[in-house]
Amino acid sequence: MDAYNNGMNNGMMEGHELGWDDTIQEESEFIILPAGDYDFTVKSYERGRFNGSEKMSACNQAIVSIAINYNGKEVIIKHRLLLHTKVERILSEFFRGIGQKRKDEPLKMNWPMVPGSTGRCKIGTRTYNGNEYNEIKKFYPKDEMPVTQATPNYNPGQF
């Protein structure tokens, strides 16, 4: 679950090729979000393959790009979902979080409907190779969220 922020390509066909002598200007500001609950929108997903590890056999994986608006800036978090029965509960949590799955009901995953989906999640951080990254800790079930609940983003400087 790696984090990428606004300005990155996100695996989509955007922009254009640069020449060797072209001028560049755009920069990326890496934003570490304060731990808390945030509204999100799924920007896109990529299909891939997890090569396996000591704890998990090789399987398909989806890498979803989760967008969070933080103080007027879009922060993108790449979140990896392994398509394996060993972590099926994590897939269920994601699909409940975007409103495709209902509690205790089976669901045929509908990946083309994932981009544009919205929900609410808990964000924390993790450290890898001495660097700190945003990480999605939990997706909240959309079918259990009160319909009239206002869900502003956490902003510690707000008060």
Side-chain angles (χ1 to χ4, degrees):
M1 296 178 224
D2 294 327
Y4 293 88
N5 286 283
N6 197 25
M8 297 286 210
N9 188 330
N10 298 327
M12 299 180 70
M13 300 298 288
E14 297 176 355
H16 63 279
E17 180 178 15
L18 293 170
W20 291 105
D21 297 319
D22 283 354
T23 301
I24 60 172
Q25 178 178 339
E26 188 170 330
E27 298 179 24
S28 176
E29 178 186 349
F30 190 80
I31 299 171
I32 296 294
L33 297 170
D37 296 339
Y38 295 87
D39 294 330
F40 70 85
T41 300
V42 180
K43 297 292 272 188
S44 62
Y45 77 95
E46 303 167 37
R47 292 176 186 239
R49 188 87 182 142
F50 174 67
N51 292 326
S53 68
E54 299 166 3
K55 298 179 182 180
M56 178 81 64
S57 60
C59 61
N60 291 322
Q61 73 175 352
I63 301 170
V64 292
S65 294
I66 304 290
I68 294 173
N69 182 342
Y70 180 70
N71 290 337
K73 294 185 180 185
E74 183 178 71
V75 177
I76 302 292
I77 300 174
K78 297 276 190 165
H79 185 74
R80 182 173 58 171
L81 295 167
L82 300 178
L83 279 65
H84 194 286
T85 56
K86 192 171 181 179
V87 291
E88 187 174 343
R89 63 180 172 70
I90 295 170
L91 286 166
S92 287
E93 181 183 87
F94 171 73
F95 280 99
R96 283 192 70 202
I98 63 172
Q100 277 196 36
K101 185 177 184 323
R102 297 241 180 247
K103 184 177 174 109
D104 298 327
E105 292 181 10
L107 171 78
K108 180 177 179 182
M109 295 179 288
N110 188 345
W111 291 101
M113 294 297 294
V114 168
S117 297
T118 60
R120 192 150 174 87
C121 64
K122 177 178 281 306
I123 300 292
T125 58
R126 72 176 175 95
T127 303
Y128 180 74
N129 286 339
N131 296 311
E132 192 173 23
Y133 297 95
N134 294 314
E135 181 176 57
I136 296 174
K137 300 288 188 182
K138 176 179 184 52
F139 291 99
Y140 294 107
K142 199 167 197 174
D143 60 348
E144 292 179 8
M145 300 287 288
V147 177
T148 59
Q149 177 182 355
T151 54
N153 286 332
Y154 171 80
N155 182 348
Q158 185 174 13
F159 300 104

